[in-house]
Amino acid sequence: MHLIPCPYCGERPQDEFHYRGDATVKRPAPDAGEQAFYDYVYTRANPRGWHDEWWQHYAGCRQWIRVRRNTLTHAVAASAGPADALPEATP
Amino acid sequence: MTSKRLPSGGLIDRGTTVRFNFDGRSFTGHPGDTLASALLANGVRLVGRSFKYHRPRGIMTAGPEEPNALVELREGARREPNTKATEIELHDGLVSASQNRWPSLAFDLMSINGFAGPAISAGFYYKTFMWPKSFWEKLYEPLIRRAAGLGRAASQPDPDHYEAMHAHCDVLVVGSGAAGLAAARAAGEAGARVIICERDFVPGGGLLLSPADAAWRGDMVNALEAMPNVEILTRTNVFGYYDHNLLGAVERVSDHKAEPDQHEVRQRYRTFRAKQVVLATGASERLIAFPGNDRPGAMMAGAALTYLRRFGVVPGRNAVVFTNNDSAYETALALAEAGSGKVTLVDVRSQSALAAAMTARGIDVRLASEVAYFDGKTALVRRRGGAGGDKFVADLLCPSGGWNPNVQLASQSGAKPRWEATLASHVPGESVQAERSAGATKGIFGIGAAAYDGARAGREAAAAAGFAKAQDFALPERGPAEQPIAPFWEVKASGKSFVDLQHDVTAEDIRLAHREGFSHVEHAKRYTTHGMATDQGKLGSLVGSAILAEARGEPVEAVGVPTHRPYTMPVAFGALAGHASGAHFQPVRRTALNDWHLRNGAVMQPTGAWLRPFFYPKPGETGWEPIFREARAVRSSVGICDVSTLGKIDVQGPDAAAFLDRLYINTFSTLAVGKCRYGVMLREDGIVFDDGTTSRLAEDHFLVTTTTGNAAPVLEHMEFHAQTVWPELDVQFCSVTDQWAQVAVAGPKSRETLAAAVDGLDLSNEVFPFMGVGEGKIAGVPVRLFRISFSGELAYEIAVPSGHAETVWEAILAAGKPFGIVPYGLEAMSLMRVEKGHAAGPELNGQTTAADLGMGRMMKKSGDVIGRVLAGRPGLADPGRPRLVGIRPVDTNKRLRGGAHIVREPGSGTSMGWVSSVTQSIEHACWIGLAMVENGEALKNQRVFAVSPLHDESVEVTITSPHHVDPENLRVRA
Ligand SMILES: [Zn+2]
């Protein structure tokens, strides 16, 4: 079970969080067209390694946060609030 | 009876006798015994029958790797199958029985399978039972069930309790041998909070076999017990290593008693979140494949030493020890010291510096030799690869193929096992998590060397956790280096050579798997079931890999072993469930009116986490009678229903209306204050997510209601979009589901009822019309009123602060008394909603669009709405998709079934849709239903068939409007 650093509450166990998925996709403008929305909902890179993901601290502060997590090792490198930037690169 | 107890020695209390029972016979043993050691002390040689061939088997090991001595432990509700006799702590009154024999252990008819051996080779299940199909039920399945059963689980509920405990520590040490004790001591001396787990009931591991180190072991355990920052957990098996240094374990709290003390748990599931982990789990001896290596009397050399040294039991009279490494020499010596018979040491190596010392103790040493055959009475010893050989009388045969470091936990943590040629085995690879291995786990053997390595690991772990203080303590002497092992896996001779005793997998089966194309180690494992039994191939996994490697013409390290996964040992479901079983499986949510429902005879029903009144039967009412009575009261006069479980979300802020406009397909910014509106929200993929009414309480204040089941997902959906997609919108929300109780008052007399109860609000149709929202007081309690209807009748819902729910409910009941008001439950509500044709859970099933439910026109013409774009995809916009319709049977005596298919003609294999909801109707005096039917709109008034092959039923039905009552919607506006 992971430990996830919530930027607002500190490091908390995974069972206080809900996972949503890929945080690198951005909801298109309403007039962007079907293909753009299709890609937003369905098209995923599914990387082996570092990945930015949406998690919600639902049993805590209820904030949605972005978590940089390694899909291979499950290591967590960083987290940030929705408006804040994650580090440029992760070693 | 060739095994027996020695008059002295070992860690057993000869002064106390305990009685136990095996297969109906009574025996005695001593505290400190395992069931296995006590059986051996009583001369019991045959303990089980093998899984496939029903070959007789004896005790092979002294630990969790035991493949043969699986027993049913205890009786009745506490009967537990497949427990390992080598792991069971003996206690007074213990009852056990052998397994997998029929009719008895000594005379097993099924051992005839042994003669039919070639027919039951690897892949047997895949191949043999494919054809003919009709043979399966009558012949194969009963045969397999009789032949291949392991133990029987108890058929009664488990009477015992289990619990969970979660701990944090600086350093977790797994294993309490020389390395583990030294690691715990070093880390503890540095000031770290240390937990040390030992699977066994005595700490010490390999130290328990070394009388010379008994004093050091005692000193270490005493020192650790005296340290307030160190906790020693015995009988605690760490079964898994998970992400971010979380480890799982089971503590066997009272398994060493006949039954737990009062209020005592049987087992405790534990998790440890450790800053640093030291794995000191030791090593397991591996098998050598040779014909007859499974016969009773075959016992691993290390196990034989354990029985001699720890339990004071001589496991046989005339022994042959068969080895490729130095460790088994100690077994030979100990046997020679303890036994009266002949001891022969067979070493595959051509030279051994230890041979002379053995000969001096009367041991017959055969170098460059191998055991070609063993039948439980004699062993054939020959020159390696040669013919002929010498026959030895032997009732004990002790193989030692070398030692495999127990890398399972390290491997689970992500450290890939690395091949170590000097051991002919794997050691833990580079650490991925905050862990390090020590001692034999790392391939460092010998008590002194392991202790030294453990102390180093403990110091390093403590330092990594922030505790740098070092304090020296005494360590045992390090012994001389051992001679190199000669990798040796299999004696090539005719007969069954086993690599997996529990699953009866032979060396030949491995080669067969290779010949048939299952050459990858993971494929060969699954094809042969090698390593898939409860011992997880601890004895022979690597031997199987080596045989596979030879068949592939590659080195064994290129083949590897199958991936190690949790659990390292079988874990009882009860331990994992803990208290979360039965009524405690999950918390029950009760509405504020729960006690009233119970006092008034409601039949309560769990719906999700909620407990809701199903109906309120009167004496003598059966079946549908209370439901009909309640629904008729609503349709003819007035009823009251607890609808508190609805999700309620309070939404506030200057942009609240703009936010709701994006959330729902219809518009809320145009909603007047004091009004409510029904809304539908979609998922971004265009499928309907949820529905409900939303009220505008003020310009910047809305109250959203959700379906009971979607309350939490809708809130998360709203939070995600407000926080991450449209952070520029100034809107806040909060769940108020528990703060407000809600009751529906429905029926033509609902206005008159409420008029008598409500103060401060004019309920006349002109002032408070359909979809009106207002505030007033009932019995002095401030309430919100909503004129909405789920039943299709004139109706209101009243929201009341939860603490006052019963006061308000009683006041409404009193006001409705002149009209014969009745409380109605979930069933009457469902009946009326199907009659009215409201979509609910069965229709909002994650596959339907708004258009499918007849609500396509609700989508506003412009503006950003979640799901709008993808709902327009051709596949979702296709007018031929199944649409919501009503159905009624042509023959009004016929019953309808939810889940039935809609077809044109009986017997047709082409489904046009499905029946989603059914009920008996009070308005139509027959079954009615809702269905999703392709081109449903165009099929109105046509006849089709609802077929349920499960019930062998086919009912002709007429397609109707989904609104079985009041399609013009006049009643709700009355
Ligand atoms: Zn938080």
Side-chain angles (χ1 to χ4, degrees):
Chain A
M1 190 169 47
H2 295 27
L3 285 173
I4 295 174
C6 173
Y8 310 101
C9 310
E11 197 169 62
R12 313 294 303 168
Q14 181 189 335
D15 40 9
E16 292 184 12
F17 294 82
H18 280 169
Y19 175 79
R20 181 182 173 99
D22 196 340
T24 63
V25 292
K26 192 172 169 359
R27 189 171 186 270
D31 57 358
E34 192 181 299
Q35 186 60 45
F37 272 90
Y38 180 89
D39 287 342
Y40 169 58
V41 172
Y42 296 110
T43 309
R44 294 291 179 269
N46 193 21
R48 181 178 184 273
W50 292 106
H51 191 218
D52 293 353
E53 301 167 337
W54 284 119
W55 292 76
Q56 188 190 21
H57 194 193
Y58 84 96
C61 62
R62 293 204 67 89
Q63 270 290 326
W64 284 95
I65 60 171
R66 283 180 298 147
V67 176
R68 181 160 298 164
R69 196 179 68 99
N70 193 306
T71 59
L72 191 64
T73 65
H74 297 176
V76 172
S79 67
D84 303 321
L86 280 164
E88 278 297 309
T90 294
Chain B
M1 292 209 187
T2 55
S3 55
K4 60 167 198 242
R5 184 85 71 184
L6 291 166
S8 64
L11 301 172
I12 49 161
D13 172 11
R14 284 185 179 75
T16 309
T17 296
V18 294
R19 311 195 70 81
F20 71 99
N21 188 296
F22 176 71
D23 274 352
R25 286 175 63 199
S26 186
F27 297 101
T28 61
H30 300 294
D33 264 327
T34 61
L35 175 59
S37 68
L39 285 170
L40 285 170
N42 283 281
V44 175
R45 185 177 167 89
L46 177 60
V47 292
R49 290 271 174 177
S50 75
F51 184 65
K52 205 157 77 180
Y53 301 118
H54 284 242
R55 284 162 75 99
R57 293 280 166 84
I59 293 164
M60 184 83 184
T61 73
E65 63 274 28
E66 176 59 34
N68 295 340
L70 304 183
V71 301
E72 284 178 358
L73 187 61
R74 303 189 171 88
E75 295 173 301
R78 288 194 166 88
R79 188 175 66 207
E80 188 182 6
N82 311 329
T83 58
K84 296 177 177 119
T86 50
E87 294 281 286
I88 298 163
E89 205 173 329
L90 196 69
H91 58 258
D92 204 36
L94 180 148
V95 177
S96 58
S98 61
Q99 301 180 162
N100 201 27
R101 76 296 195 258
W102 177 68
S104 74
L105 184 54
F107 176 73
D108 184 340
L109 287 174
M110 283 297 168
S111 64
I112 198 139
N113 277 1
F115 298 112
I120 316 180
S121 58
F124 159 79
Y125 292 93
Y126 301 115
K127 285 185 278 201
T128 316
F129 298 137
M130 293 299 287
W131 186 90
K133 205 175 159 191
S134 60
F135 275 30
W136 180 259
E137 244 175 74
K138 292 190 179 73
L139 187 61
Y140 296 146
E141 191 181 331
L143 179 78
I144 292 172
R145 285 204 184 283
R146 174 138 276 165
L150 283 174
R152 302 160 301 156
S155 54
Q156 296 142 268
D158 188 342
D160 290 327
H161 297 282
Y162 303 82
E163 68 181 9
M165 196 178 275
H166 308 283
H168 293 257
C169 59
D170 298 312
V171 178
L172 177 74
V173 179
V174 185
S176 73
L181 288 178
R185 176 85 183 267
E189 296 282 4
R193 289 175 309 153
V194 178
I195 296 175
I196 174 168
C197 295
E198 171 53 55
R199 175 184 55 74
D200 209 329
F201 52 93
V202 191
L207 290 165
L208 301 176
L209 313 186
S210 174
D213 295 298
W216 184 75
R217 181 186 78 92
D219 290 347
M220 289 294 281
V221 171
N222 289 341
L224 290 173
E225 279 173 348
M227 294 168 94
N229 54 329
V230 175
E231 186 177 8
I232 307 176
L233 295 172
T234 52
R235 303 188 175 103
T236 302
N237 181 52
V238 176
F239 60 67
Y241 198 133
Y242 302 91
D243 291 323
H244 299 192
N245 262 23
L246 184 86
L247 290 91
V250 169
E251 181 183 2
R252 300 182 309 280
V253 178
S254 56
D255 276 349
H256 57 294
K257 305 173 185 175
E259 57 186 73
D261 295 343
Q262 204 179 7
H263 306 305
E264 187 179 42
V265 296
R266 178 179 164 230
Q267 294 182 347
R268 183 176 289 135
Y269 166 56
R270 284 180 172 269
T271 68
F272 305 102
R273 182 79 74 173
K275 283 192 189 137
Q276 297 286 325
V277 173
V278 176
L279 298 171
T281 47
S284 298
E285 197 169 29
R286 62 177 176 261
L287 195 59
I288 297 172
F290 61 87
N293 63 350
D294 67 316
R295 289 298 180 193
M299 176 186 285
M300 301 305 295
L305 188 68
T306 303
Y307 288 113
L308 283 160
R309 291 270 171 83
R310 178 170 170 185
F311 300 105
V313 172
V314 196
R317 181 170 297 141
N318 297 302
V320 172
V321 178
F322 178 25
T323 188
N324 64 345
N325 68 93
D326 283 1
S327 70
Y329 281 66
E330 194 175 353
T331 303
L333 276 178
L335 283 164
E337 279 166 20
S340 52
K342 179 176 169 56
V343 179
T344 308
L345 180 74
V346 180
D347 192 330
V348 300
R349 298 175 294 187
S350 47
Q351 289 184 324
S352 171
L354 303 172
M358 297 291 130
T359 311
R361 308 290 265 279
I363 297 168
D364 184 354
V365 179
R366 301 291 177 112
L367 295 176
S369 297
E370 62 191 14
V371 175
Y373 174 75
F374 178 60
D375 65 2
K377 300 182 199 77
T378 54
L380 180 65
V381 177
R382 68 183 188 191
R383 298 288 295 176
R384 271 184 74 175
D390 299 330
K391 273 197 171 177
F392 288 82
V393 172
D395 57 348
L396 182 67
L397 203 144
C398 301
S400 175
W403 292 80
N404 294 332
N406 290 327
V407 300
Q408 291 87 349
L409 289 175
S411 181
Q412 287 175 28
S413 80
K416 283 212 163 30
R418 177 174 63 76
W419 182 256
E420 175 51 58
T422 59
L423 302 174
S425 190
H426 293 94
V427 293
E430 200 178 324
S431 294
V432 174
Q433 301 202 40
E435 56 85 22
R436 65 207 77 219
S437 297
T441 319
K442 213 172 77 179
I444 296 175
F445 292 95
I447 281 167
Y452 186 84
D453 191 52
R456 171 206 55 85
R459 261 194 317 274
E460 286 177 14
F467 299 87
K469 185 166 72 93
Q471 170 77 48
D472 280 341
F473 50 90
L475 293 172
E477 290 292 313
R478 278 186 270 182
E482 292 192 350
Q483 306 175 85
I485 187 174
F488 187 83
W489 314 99
E490 182 191 8
V491 178
K492 299 277 175 49
S494 67
K496 277 188 163 50
S497 301
F498 287 87
V499 294
D500 183 327
L501 274 71
Q502 195 180 142
H503 266 177
D504 273 351
V505 181
T506 64
E508 193 47 41
D509 288 330
I510 302 285
R511 283 187 276 271
L512 178 68
H514 170 67
R515 284 200 300 276
E516 300 197 343
F518 296 89
S519 298
H520 191 283
V521 68
E522 298 282 0
H523 293 158
K525 165 181 167 171
R526 283 153 184 83
Y527 195 62
T528 61
T529 73
H530 178 30
M532 290 169 69
T534 61
D535 58 343
Q536 299 182 326
K538 286 187 176 73
L539 286 181
S541 182
L542 189 57
V543 182
S545 291
I547 290 164
L548 185 62
E550 187 191 61
R552 280 166 46 169
E554 292 179 86
V556 58
E557 58 267 37
V559 171
V561 288
T563 308
H564 298 292
R565 296 190 178 84
Y567 305 90
T568 59
M569 275 170 56
V571 173
F573 282 124
L576 296 178
H579 284 303
S581 69
H584 300 289
F585 178 63
Q586 63 176 8
V588 176
R589 296 183 79 180
R590 296 178 172 87
T591 75
L593 292 159
N594 187 70
D595 289 354
W596 190 95
H597 302 316
L598 295 180
R599 286 201 307 276
N600 288 274
V603 173
M604 303 300 284
Q605 177 76 10
T607 55
W610 288 100
L611 209 53
R612 302 179 70 175
F614 224 32
F615 42 76
Y616 304 80
K618 287 199 183 302
E621 282 183 339
T622 57
W624 283 71
E625 288 168 9
I627 303 163
F628 288 153
R629 174 179 53 74
E630 291 169 11
R632 282 200 183 98
V634 175
R635 294 246 183 266
S636 63
S637 181
V638 60
I640 182 168
C641 182
D642 181 1
V643 294
S644 302
T645 64
L646 276 177
K648 309 172 201 85
I649 301 170
D650 199 83
V651 183
Q652 301 190 32
D655 295 323
F659 179 69
L660 294 178
D661 280 353
R662 296 183 194 182
L663 209 62
Y664 286 97
I665 63 173
N666 44 335
T667 310
F668 284 92
S669 51
T670 57
L671 184 65
V673 173
K675 293 283 180 189
C676 63
R677 184 169 283 170
Y678 173 76
V680 170
M681 63 174 82
L682 307 182
R683 310 189 307 215
E684 194 70 90
D685 65 0
I687 297 293
V688 172
F689 178 23
D690 200 54
D691 70 341
T693 55
T694 291
S695 308
R696 192 164 202 170
L697 303 175
E699 202 56 38
D700 59 354
H701 187 187
F702 292 81
L703 181 73
V704 166
T705 65
T706 73
T707 57
T708 297
N710 269 339
V714 166
L715 184 65
E716 286 186 12
H717 178 74
M718 290 167 73
E719 286 167 330
F720 178 78
H721 286 88
Q723 292 172 17
T724 77
V725 182
W726 304 306
E728 70 280 8
L729 293 183
D730 187 356
V731 57
Q732 307 294 328
F733 21 79
C734 183
S735 165
V736 293
T737 302
D738 292 320
Q739 282 71 18
W740 293 88
Q742 196 144 317
V743 302
V745 180
K749 297 293 184 190
S750 57
R751 181 183 291 125
E752 288 166 75
T753 297
L754 285 176
V758 176
D759 294 321
L761 184 66
D762 181 352
L763 292 176
S764 68
N765 205 26
E766 297 69 41
V767 178
F768 198 64
F770 183 54
M771 294 310 223
V773 176
E775 293 185 351
K777 283 188 174 181
I778 296 179
V781 179
V783 296
R784 287 175 180 160
L785 287 97
F786 311 90
R787 189 166 157 196
I788 50 179
S789 174
F790 198 50
S791 58
E793 300 298 327
L794 170 68
Y796 302 81
E797 289 190 11
I798 294 109
V800 47
S802 287
H804 302 277
E806 214 174 293
T807 309
V808 167
W809 174 276
E810 292 279 10
I812 298 169
L813 278 179
K817 200 164 185 193
F819 312 106
I821 192 168
V822 300
Y824 65 99
L826 202 55
E827 283 291 289
M829 190 169 88
S830 299
L831 181 159
M832 289 187 283
R833 86 88 195 164
V834 175
E835 285 190 331
K836 181 62 184 172
H838 282 309
E843 289 78 37
L844 308 179
N845 67 347
Q847 298 176 311
T848 48
T849 67
D852 296 344
L853 300 173
M855 298 187 288
R857 282 190 300 274
M858 282 173 66
M859 176 64 88
K860 52 181 161 281
K861 293 286 169 288
S862 63
D864 190 2
V865 177
I866 293 169
R868 173 203 283 281
V869 175
L870 293 186
R873 284 180 290 169
L876 294 187
D878 182 353
R881 282 172 61 84
R883 286 194 55 126
L884 180 65
V885 296
I887 52 167
R888 280 176 230 167
V890 173
D891 174 352
T892 54
N893 293 315
K894 287 274 167 60
R895 138 166 227 181
L896 297 180
R897 303 262 189 194
H901 282 277
I902 300 293
V903 296
R904 274 278 175 200
E905 298 291 339
S908 165
T910 307
S911 175
M912 303 157 64
W914 65 94
V915 179
S916 53
S917 301
V918 298
T919 185
Q920 292 198 65
S921 173
I922 53 171
E923 293 257 335
H924 293 281
C926 66
W927 284 83
I928 59 168
L930 300 177
M932 303 298 301
V933 181
E934 288 170 11
N935 292 305
E937 200 85 332
L939 291 172
K940 287 252 167 79
N941 303 318
Q942 294 194 28
R943 291 180 177 189
V944 293
F945 288 84
V947 297
S948 178
L950 277 178
H951 304 94
D952 199 17
E953 287 173 4
S954 176
V955 179
E956 191 172 19
V957 296
T958 307
I959 301 220
T960 67
S961 153
H963 310 295
H964 293 283
V965 305
D966 188 26
E968 300 79 24
N969 223 17
L970 298 176
R971 296 184 194 178
V972 298
R973 299 175 189 278

